[in-house]
Amino acid sequence: MRILKRPLAAAFPFPALSSLAASHVSNVRDLFCRRGYSSPACKKTTEEWLMDVKKKPRIWSSPVGDKEIELVNRIFCNRSLNMKSIVAVGFDMDYTLAQYKPETFEAMAYEGTVKKLVTKLGYPTEMLNWRFDWEYMVRGLVLDKKRGNILKMDRHKYVKVAYHGFKEMPKEDKSKTYGHTLIRDAFDEPEYALLDTLFSLAEAYLFAQLVDMKDNYPGKFTREIDYVHMYKDVRAAVDMCHRDGTLKKMVAQNPGKYINEDLSIVPMVKMLRESGRSVFLVTNSLWDYTNVVMNFLCGDNILEAGLPCKYDWIENFDLVITGSSKPGFFLEENRANLFQIDPESGMLQNTDNGLLIPRIGVTLQEPSSKELKGGKVFQGGNVAHLHKLLGIASSSQVLYVGDHIYGDILRSKKVLGWRTMLVVPELEKEVQLLSETKRTRKDLRNLRRERDLIEDQIHHLNLSLKFQDFDDRHNHKHYFLLKELEAKRDKVRQSHQLAQRGVHEKFHKVWGQLMKTGYQNSRFAHQHRIVS
Ligand SMILES: Nc1nc2c(ncn2[C@@H]2O[C@H](COP(=O)(O)O)[C@@H](O)[C@H]2O)c(=O)[nH]1
Ligand SMILES: [Mg+2]
């Protein structure tokens, strides 16, 4: 499934209101209680909510009139999900709610990484003049750290496209290196690195540039260094850019330069809450940065130096967990402490399962509305804390939307049983091109069928020649026919290959269609199919 940078809310399906389940209404009542309403107020507010919900037209839940939802705005499902059973909807932040602009954000990560490699790790200074092509690398590729290769494989892990640095590997080299292993290589860490997040596109590009430099100008390096160490250095430098504020400071100064504005987030979150569901945020980003990004996306408050910070955006959420350390967060046995954050000072306070532990000598007052607001923002903890704070009885009542197949989806779904939704912004272009190339792809299928048919005929003819006792005249005729068919097959095969390459190049000049490798589903598509 995927969500676009703009109409995130476009196709959230809601149950028909006439069929609002009693359990759903009771969940809503519980939610109002947790929001601090007294018992009679809870009952009254729930009744009002029910009346209101019945009156309101449901925006986004279905197309207006007979107008279809545009192809690029649709949500795709690998399995069905009955929204009636969902009581809480959670969001990851980075590359989920916040769609970064790779041309500025990833370019900044690239430049920061190069600077660190040159100034801290002694890499050649001329790297400072290198340029980053943010469209070159795509998710789903695999880096072979030892050999300096970048691979695209199909769902069976057959390597179909292979580059050494930026040089396409000749077919023979590719098959010699990856083609003949009986027990298929796992192509996993630590020998390989998977480009499974948009954050890793810059480092992959830099790795390819370094491979090229090492091959062509080995003398440029002041020390003997292999591809594995190059990758390690690049990874460490990228990591440092994320940790030391290189990137976050710049985003905080001008979020609009690095993040796509998305005016549909607030209405979507409001709609979800009005439908009685809790809405939460679980992000690996820490509080200060989360506040910058969420203010940009959900408030009209860009945090300018010297101006007081605003925290209105928090009111759109029932719970905010920052610094969550996903995927570890999803393990119930994870014993990470849950700290409450004071939004204004950013100070962490100890909690006992989310309930503030007063410091010695401090008596806790009845929470004021301000404190209630503050009491929704936490750091760390684990999924059990989240379930408790939101009153979730069963994991299957949670829908979580994220962008990272391993960080956000795999454990939350497989181990925990949350329902999951994966944001794949690349699909916007992919489905558009699929629709534009419909005819060519049909021609391609016909060519493939024609090729298969000829191959069948060749096969039968070969069998006849081998096992049937023909006279010389017949043998000669069959032999002649065989040669004719083989020539025809080669021609069709070549046309098919050319046409297939042509279609793939429309998607991406080097790596082709994201969800396919040749005729098969790509490994990326396959992973999505299994887990999202
Ligand atoms: N230390 C590192 N942090 C990284 C790296 N790549 C991304 N990130 C940071 O992770 C969070 C993602 O947050 P989420 O909302 O998607 O959970 C964000 O703060 C990134 O800056 C890395 O290589 N090293
Ligand atoms: Mg993310």
Side-chain angles (χ1 to χ4, degrees):
M1 291 195 238
R2 62 109 220 200
I3 297 181
L4 295 176
K5 53 188 180 227
R6 206 147 279 284
L8 184 59
F12 261 103
F14 282 91
L17 296 170
S18 54
S19 66
L20 267 178
S23 64
H24 189 58
V25 176
S26 114
N27 279 331
V28 172
R29 197 178 309 116
D30 291 349
L31 185 74
F32 286 132
C33 294
R34 282 199 307 280
R35 285 180 191 163
Y37 291 74
S38 66
S39 191
C42 245
K43 190 164 175 266
K44 188 161 170 277
T45 322
T46 309
E47 280 163 11
E48 282 168 5
W49 165 81
L50 202 53
M51 299 272 288
D52 201 35
V53 147
K54 280 182 177 164
K55 269 194 298 205
K56 266 191 191 155
R58 286 172 300 138
I59 37 170
W60 296 316
S61 57
S62 51
V64 181
D66 56 2
K67 199 167 152 268
E68 278 213 329
I69 296 175
E70 257 189 89
L71 186 65
V72 294
N73 290 347
R74 290 186 198 162
I75 289 179
F76 301 94
C77 299
N78 288 321
R79 59 208 94 232
S80 62
L81 166 63
N82 186 347
M83 281 297 286
K84 255 196 258 178
S85 61
I86 298 298
V87 302
V89 181
F91 295 90
D92 162 66
M93 185 178 78
D94 299 287
Y95 273 122
T96 296
L97 292 179
Q99 285 303 324
Y100 290 94
K101 300 176 182 174
E103 65 276 29
T104 50
F105 184 83
E106 294 310 329
M108 173 169 67
Y110 172 87
E111 279 157 26
T113 308
V114 168
K115 261 189 213 147
K116 288 200 193 312
L117 287 174
V118 172
T119 57
K120 301 209 185 306
L121 296 171
Y123 275 71
T125 46
E126 66 193 76
M127 284 172 65
L128 295 168
N129 301 320
W130 282 1
R131 290 279 156 267
F132 170 52
D133 177 357
W134 60 272
E135 289 174 298
Y136 185 88
M137 292 295 175
V138 296
R139 279 204 290 177
L141 300 177
V142 175
L143 301 195
D144 179 343
K145 298 181 200 172
K146 194 171 85 191
R147 301 184 181 92
N149 298 340
I150 298 129
L151 318 170
K152 185 180 178 201
M153 51 191 79
D154 69 13
R155 70 194 181 100
H156 304 294
K157 296 191 184 169
Y158 279 102
V159 175
K160 290 292 178 67
V161 189
Y163 275 70
H164 177 70
F166 290 106
K167 260 204 329 258
E168 185 165 13
M169 283 175 78
K171 209 170 168 186
E172 311 76 61
D173 288 3
K174 187 180 70 182
S175 349
K176 216 161 92 196
T177 318
Y178 303 109
H180 297 305
T181 38
L182 206 55
I183 301 164
R184 300 218 62 74
D185 204 329
F187 293 107
D188 275 331
E189 297 278 359
E191 286 89 7
Y192 297 87
L194 314 180
L195 303 195
D196 49 17
T197 149
L198 290 165
F199 282 123
S200 49
L201 303 188
E203 70 196 57
Y205 191 78
L206 192 47
F207 178 63
Q209 282 179 308
L210 283 168
V211 168
D212 263 14
M213 188 187 227
K214 179 177 157 49
D215 291 351
N216 298 319
Y217 309 100
K220 299 262 178 199
F221 293 89
T222 50
R223 61 194 156 117
E224 188 56 41
I225 187 164
D226 58 21
Y227 301 135
V228 173
H229 276 89
M230 276 177 176
Y231 177 78
K232 220 167 129 194
D233 288 344
V234 171
R235 182 85 277 289
V238 172
D239 192 45
M240 194 49 72
C241 288
H242 280 277
R243 283 175 193 276
D244 70 2
T246 305
L247 306 177
K248 292 183 168 122
K249 191 176 79 190
M250 298 302 286
V251 176
Q253 279 168 14
N254 188 359
K257 182 173 172 191
Y258 301 102
I259 305 173
N260 282 304
E261 198 182 19
D262 189 344
L263 300 177
S264 64
I265 292 177
V266 173
M268 173 194 65
V269 169
K270 282 202 165 118
M271 176 191 64
L272 285 169
R273 296 184 87 212
E274 278 168 13
S275 75
R277 293 173 175 90
S278 307
V279 174
F280 65 89
L281 185 77
V282 175
T283 168
N284 280 355
S285 285
L286 293 174
W287 164 248
D288 52 350
Y289 186 65
T290 304
N291 193 33
V292 166
V293 175
M294 294 307 289
N295 254 292
F296 173 70
L297 291 172
C298 296
D300 47 2
N301 316 295
I302 294 172
L303 299 181
E304 283 175 39
L307 291 180
C309 292
K310 301 254 183 89
Y311 305 99
D312 317 3
W313 69 268
I314 300 172
E315 283 163 24
N316 294 303
F317 292 85
D318 293 287
L319 182 66
V320 174
I321 298 188
T322 62
S324 62
S325 303
K326 289 171 290 179
F329 180 84
F330 299 119
L331 295 174
E332 277 166 302
E333 62 271 20
N334 162 3
R335 299 260 67 90
N337 284 334
L338 182 72
F339 298 100
Q340 185 171 312
I341 297 176
D342 171 35
E344 277 169 44
S345 65
M347 259 180 58
L348 301 186
Q349 294 157 282
N350 288 313
T351 74
D352 179 8
N353 280 321
L355 285 179
L356 208 54
I357 301 176
R359 274 170 287 141
I360 296 172
V362 176
T363 320
L364 279 184
Q365 309 285 313
E366 273 298 292
S368 68
S369 63
K370 180 170 164 276
E371 275 163 332
L372 254 181
K373 190 164 74 179
K376 289 187 206 172
V377 185
F378 295 90
Q379 178 176 309
N382 64 27
V383 70
H385 291 128
L386 183 140
H387 283 182
K388 188 162 186 288
L389 287 166
L390 292 177
I392 288 159
S394 154
S395 301
S396 61
Q397 295 174 322
V398 181
L399 171 66
Y400 188 62
V401 187
D403 67 294
H404 195 201
I405 207 157
Y406 293 102
D408 295 322
I409 307 294
L410 194 62
R411 279 210 193 140
S412 60
K413 180 189 178 66
K414 289 252 164 196
V415 182
L416 200 61
W418 277 9
R419 305 305 306 265
T420 53
M421 186 184 238
L422 195 67
V423 176
V424 187
E426 298 96 322
L427 272 191
E428 182 169 354
K429 184 176 157 206
E430 186 103 345
V431 290
Q432 189 61 47
L433 279 166
L434 273 179
S435 145
E436 284 170 25
T437 54
K438 212 168 169 181
R439 273 185 75 130
T440 330
R441 287 184 300 111
K442 191 172 170 210
D443 294 346
L444 206 58
R445 279 197 298 278
N446 288 338
L447 272 175
R448 198 182 156 86
R449 229 170 271 137
E450 195 184 342
R451 189 196 68 188
D452 289 349
L453 214 69
I454 302 171
E455 273 173 357
D456 260 9
Q457 289 172 338
I458 292 175
H459 181 67
H460 283 293
L461 212 54
N462 268 327
L463 285 179
S464 309
L465 279 167
K466 202 166 169 190
F467 296 111
Q468 288 186 27
D469 217 4
F470 294 123
D471 57 29
D472 273 0
R473 196 171 60 86
H474 266 96
N475 257 343
H476 187 73
K477 203 174 129 200
H478 276 104
Y479 183 76
F480 190 72
L481 188 59
L482 185 67
K483 289 293 139 202
E484 231 178 38
L485 280 172
E486 280 173 351
K488 200 169 157 196
R489 178 210 45 205
D490 291 348
K491 226 169 123 193
V492 175
R493 191 186 268 168
Q494 206 185 14
S495 310
H496 178 262
Q497 270 170 2
L498 263 174
Q500 188 160 59
R501 203 175 174 111
V503 171
H504 269 288
E505 278 174 3
K506 284 198 165 66
F507 288 81
H508 191 285
K509 62 183 188 307
V510 180
W511 307 109
Q513 195 183 336
L514 186 72
M515 294 294 179
K516 292 274 176 199
T517 307
Y519 188 65
Q520 294 277 354
N521 276 356
S522 63
R523 186 183 183 190
F524 186 68
H526 182 61
Q527 286 168 325
H528 284 63
R529 192 156 168 252
I530 296 171
V531 302
S532 58

